[in-house]
Amino acid sequence: MAAPPLPRAPVSSSAAAASPGGRALLLLRVGGGGSGRCTGVAAAAAPGWRRPFPAASVAARSVGTTPGEVAVDPKVEAILDSVKWDSKGLAVAIAQNVDTGAILMQGFANKEALATTISTRKATFYSRSRSSLWTKGETSMNFINVHDIFLDCDRDSIIYLGKPDGPTCHTGAETCYYTSVYDALQGSKPNQDRQVVSTLYSLEDTISRRKEEIVTEGSGKPSWTKKLILDNRLLCSKISEEAGELNQTLLENEDESRTISEMGDLLYHAMVLLRVKGVRMEQVLEVLRKRFSQSGIEEKASRNKS
Amino acid sequence: MAAPPLPRAPVSSSAAAASPGGRALLLLRVGGGGSGRCTGVAAAAAPGWRRPFPAASVAARSVGTTPGEVAVDPKVEAILDSVKWDSKGLAVAIAQNVDTGAILMQGFANKEALATTISTRKATFYSRSRSSLWTKGETSMNFINVHDIFLDCDRDSIIYLGKPDGPTCHTGAETCYYTSVYDALQGSKPNQDRQVVSTLYSLEDTISRRKEEIVTEGSGKPSWTKKLILDNRLLCSKISEEAGELNQTLLENEDESRTISEMGDLLYHAMVLLRVKGVRMEQVLEVLRKRFSQSGIEEKASRNKS
């Protein structure tokens, strides 16, 4: 992915910039209403409640239409028309964390929801139960700030790739997916500590559990991870050693499988250090994204170190 | 995630083992038919074509039912009944790469499809156009080997977390999502090299492009990444240096932000080495997953190094 630097402000200028004269070729009516559940099950609005993020009116302002209408420029209209909306005018919309790859939630989008997401860069869905748009975060303030949007090969499935402001699930969990079928078959109840995560974050969770076990169970007969957590000098010497062994695979032209194994060792030990320091891998990846999305990683590196 | 070691063979014993006496409480009729598209658009079966992976009959054999029927044990049945199937008996099913977190494809599952996936551990969907089950890979042999299955908080969305045998998309692309909306708005055509990926793999792609540019454009005025790629000794000295700086943040109790930054530097430089050696981060994560899913990472580490 070579994403251009993307604005993180509530309103992106992408859609407007793409419009030759800002002329409205398509006006979409936008309904209001929030949602108390993750995929739009109806929730009553509290008295005095208002949308903190009036996506539609912001978009409308920019092209001089009346509130309640979203003007869509021709290029956006072409994208919207290319989507294979189902018989109800909907397509599946999946929100994914840009840094971790975690699937945060899944809802549905109609034309208006996708148009609003494109222009506002806040993940916006269509609530089937309320028959209205809802922007994730409009009540919780946990918006999903969209960095890119992808369509699948059949053009009937959408990914909102973005950065969440906080937990996505209405339960307070980071993602909505914390019920493992195989765990349930073994009698376990759904557990928000057992979320769907890919290997890197599964390893991070394992290391975190080892650290917690030291507190709750003491450090008697510690595992290797616990030993590392308890001994900073041992941990640092291992990180240096593993870096050296990784280098050796290049300098001594060792087999590819050695490189894979040594990189695994280095990554694991470095992640133990992150845990000791209270740092999450997601924070590291966020920093890397900001550097290289501005072509910054190379500039920074060459400025400081070459 | 603390997944128990999971069998990778075509048929898992999980569902059968969970059944007290193997008694069939629910018999599901299973249709045949393959699919030439990613989400089940109809494709004519070639003469002599047969399903290389007859999931239903395998499952049926194990409990003594007749071919064409899948027996579901009570615990599995309870899971299936807990899903909020829509008016057509379907729920969204998303396939995700367990090691990279990449969203591979999205289809729909009905009860039979989910039951089949639970028992066979091959991602199986319901083709709405053919009105039949289809196991991803039954024609291409690029199965998605399911390690875990997650339901969302509303129980109307399913993630098949698994390892693909090869490219998932019918186009040959690794995933079905390679059409960026913002790229399209800037005039770019869909590009299979520009797939939806999270930050780590975006960085990996950037490093790969720098390596390709050395070949296609020469190395005149090289970027920092290119300099590293061209000079193994420089690269290795940087990796050792960054490892030392990461250690320093722990030993000298530096600020958390320093740890984040130094880990970013170490990861970036180590990933340049991986690229020089022709190793993908996914291979590293696969090795780590195999180690720690068998409680192996700690055993291996303590056996070899402590």
Side-chain angles (χ1 to χ4, degrees):
Chain A
M1 192 171 74
L6 302 179
R8 298 287 297 277
V11 181
S12 151
S13 61
S14 293
S19 171
R23 191 165 64 90
L25 291 197
L26 178 65
L27 293 176
L28 300 171
R29 284 184 303 280
V30 175
S35 169
R37 294 286 292 281
C38 292
T39 49
V41 173
W49 177 91
R50 57 192 289 275
R51 290 166 78 114
F53 180 70
S57 59
V58 170
R61 268 205 309 279
S62 67
V63 288
T65 58
T66 57
E69 291 178 332
V70 178
V72 181
D73 81 71
K75 283 187 180 174
V76 173
E77 192 184 348
I79 295 275
L80 298 175
D81 286 342
S82 78
V83 175
K84 288 188 187 150
W85 306 103
D86 70 10
S87 60
K88 293 175 181 169
L90 301 175
V92 167
I94 303 160
Q96 185 178 27
N97 184 316
V98 62
D99 287 329
T100 67
I103 298 176
L104 301 169
M105 60 165 289
Q106 176 259 309
F108 291 86
N110 63 359
K111 235 179 207 189
E112 299 162 76
L114 180 55
T116 302
T117 305
I118 290 172
S119 88
T120 65
R121 299 218 181 213
K122 303 283 180 189
T124 300
F125 301 86
Y126 178 80
S127 163
R128 294 177 297 171
S129 57
R130 286 184 69 94
S131 303
S132 66
L133 289 202
W134 68 281
T135 297
K136 167 67 200 163
E138 61 187 12
T139 50
S140 66
M141 299 305 288
N142 290 333
F143 294 99
I144 298 171
N145 304 286
V146 172
H147 290 231
D148 209 340
I149 302 170
F150 283 82
L151 305 177
D152 79 341
C153 56
D154 291 334
R155 297 217 167 212
D156 60 2
S157 184
I158 303 164
I159 293 176
Y160 293 154
L161 188 68
K163 189 75 179 176
D165 282 332
T168 293
C169 188
H170 74 286
T171 62
E174 206 165 313
T175 83
C176 294
Y177 298 88
Y178 51 82
T179 302
S180 158
V181 165
Y182 292 112
D183 280 3
L185 286 172
Q186 291 177 347
S188 300
K189 293 191 172 170
N191 178 357
Q192 292 185 10
D193 292 335
R194 173 81 169 87
Q195 300 207 14
V196 62
V197 285
S198 56
T199 296
L200 192 64
Y201 304 93
S202 180
L203 175 58
E204 188 171 57
D205 286 351
T206 300
I207 294 168
S208 283
R209 274 200 306 279
R210 295 294 170 268
K211 187 161 189 290
E212 287 159 16
E213 286 165 10
I214 292 174
V215 178
T216 58
E217 301 169 14
S219 57
K221 202 186 175 189
S223 67
W224 179 242
T225 302
K226 288 177 187 168
K227 280 185 188 168
L228 293 170
I229 290 170
L230 291 164
D231 186 341
N232 289 352
R233 296 220 164 262
L234 172 66
L235 174 55
C236 291
S237 75
K238 291 304 300 177
I239 289 172
S240 293
E241 182 183 318
E242 298 300 348
E245 289 179 1
L246 177 65
N247 287 338
Q248 188 179 310
T249 71
L250 177 63
L251 297 175
E252 300 190 8
N253 201 23
E254 292 178 356
D255 195 67
E256 185 182 297
S257 65
R258 295 291 311 144
T259 304
I260 294 169
S261 178
E262 295 303 342
M263 180 64 185
D265 287 343
L266 176 59
L267 192 54
Y268 156 72
H269 286 88
M271 286 176 73
V272 176
L273 185 147
L274 294 190
R275 186 64 198 82
V276 172
K277 289 288 290 181
V279 166
R280 285 174 298 113
M281 185 55 86
E282 181 173 1
Q283 295 173 281
V284 175
L285 292 169
E286 183 170 10
V287 163
L288 281 174
R289 171 170 50 79
K290 287 176 177 170
R291 283 191 205 165
F292 76 77
S293 70
Q294 300 158 350
S295 300
I297 191 166
E298 297 177 345
E299 283 166 18
K300 186 254 181 190
S302 59
R303 190 174 61 246
N304 293 350
K305 299 174 180 176
S306 67
Chain B
M1 192 169 76
L6 303 179
R8 299 288 298 278
V11 181
S12 151
S13 60
S14 292
S19 171
R23 191 165 62 92
L25 291 197
L26 178 63
L27 293 176
L28 300 170
R29 284 185 302 282
V30 176
S35 168
R37 296 287 290 279
C38 291
T39 49
V41 174
W49 177 92
R50 58 191 289 275
R51 292 167 75 113
F53 180 68
S57 58
V58 169
R61 266 206 310 277
S62 67
V63 288
T65 59
T66 58
E69 291 177 332
V70 179
V72 181
D73 82 72
K75 284 188 180 173
V76 173
E77 191 183 349
I79 295 276
L80 297 175
D81 286 342
S82 77
V83 176
K84 287 188 189 151
W85 306 103
D86 71 10
S87 59
K88 292 176 181 169
L90 301 176
V92 167
I94 302 161
Q96 184 178 28
N97 184 316
V98 64
D99 287 327
T100 67
I103 299 176
L104 301 168
M105 61 165 287
Q106 175 259 311
F108 291 86
N110 63 359
K111 232 179 210 190
E112 299 161 76
L114 180 55
T116 302
T117 304
I118 290 171
S119 89
T120 65
R121 300 222 181 208
K122 303 283 180 189
T124 300
F125 301 86
Y126 178 79
S127 165
R128 294 176 298 170
S129 58
R130 285 185 70 96
S131 303
S132 67
L133 288 201
W134 69 280
T135 297
K136 167 65 199 165
E138 62 187 11
T139 50
S140 67
M141 300 306 287
N142 290 334
F143 295 100
I144 297 171
N145 304 286
V146 171
H147 291 232
D148 209 341
I149 301 170
F150 283 82
L151 305 177
D152 78 344
C153 55
D154 291 334
R155 296 215 169 215
D156 60 1
S157 184
I158 304 164
I159 293 176
Y160 293 155
L161 188 68
K163 190 74 179 176
D165 282 332
T168 293
C169 187
H170 74 286
T171 62
E174 208 164 311
T175 85
C176 294
Y177 299 88
Y178 51 81
T179 302
S180 157
V181 165
Y182 292 114
D183 280 5
L185 286 172
Q186 293 178 345
S188 299
K189 293 191 171 169
N191 178 357
Q192 292 185 8
D193 291 335
R194 172 82 171 85
Q195 301 207 15
V196 63
V197 286
S198 57
T199 296
L200 192 64
Y201 304 92
S202 180
L203 175 57
E204 187 171 59
D205 286 350
T206 300
I207 294 168
S208 283
R209 273 199 307 280
R210 296 293 170 271
K211 187 161 190 289
E212 287 159 17
E213 285 165 10
I214 293 174
V215 178
T216 57
E217 300 169 13
S219 56
K221 203 186 173 189
S223 69
W224 178 244
T225 303
K226 288 178 189 169
K227 280 183 188 166
L228 294 169
I229 290 170
L230 290 165
D231 186 341
N232 288 352
R233 295 220 165 262
L234 171 67
L235 174 56
C236 291
S237 75
K238 291 303 301 178
I239 290 172
S240 293
E241 182 184 318
E242 298 300 348
E245 290 179 0
L246 177 66
N247 287 339
Q248 188 180 309
T249 71
L250 177 63
L251 296 175
E252 301 188 10
N253 200 25
E254 293 179 353
D255 194 68
E256 186 182 294
S257 64
R258 295 292 312 144
T259 305
I260 294 169
S261 178
E262 295 302 342
M263 180 63 184
D265 287 343
L266 176 59
L267 192 53
Y268 156 72
H269 286 90
M271 285 176 73
V272 175
L273 185 146
L274 293 190
R275 187 63 198 85
V276 173
K277 288 289 289 182
V279 165
R280 286 174 297 112
M281 185 57 86
E282 181 172 0
Q283 295 174 282
V284 175
L285 291 169
E286 182 169 11
V287 163
L288 280 173
R289 171 170 50 80
K290 288 177 178 170
R291 285 191 205 164
F292 75 78
S293 69
Q294 300 159 353
S295 300
I297 191 166
E298 298 178 342
E299 283 166 19
K300 185 251 180 194
S302 60
R303 190 173 62 245
N304 292 348
K305 299 176 182 174
S306 68

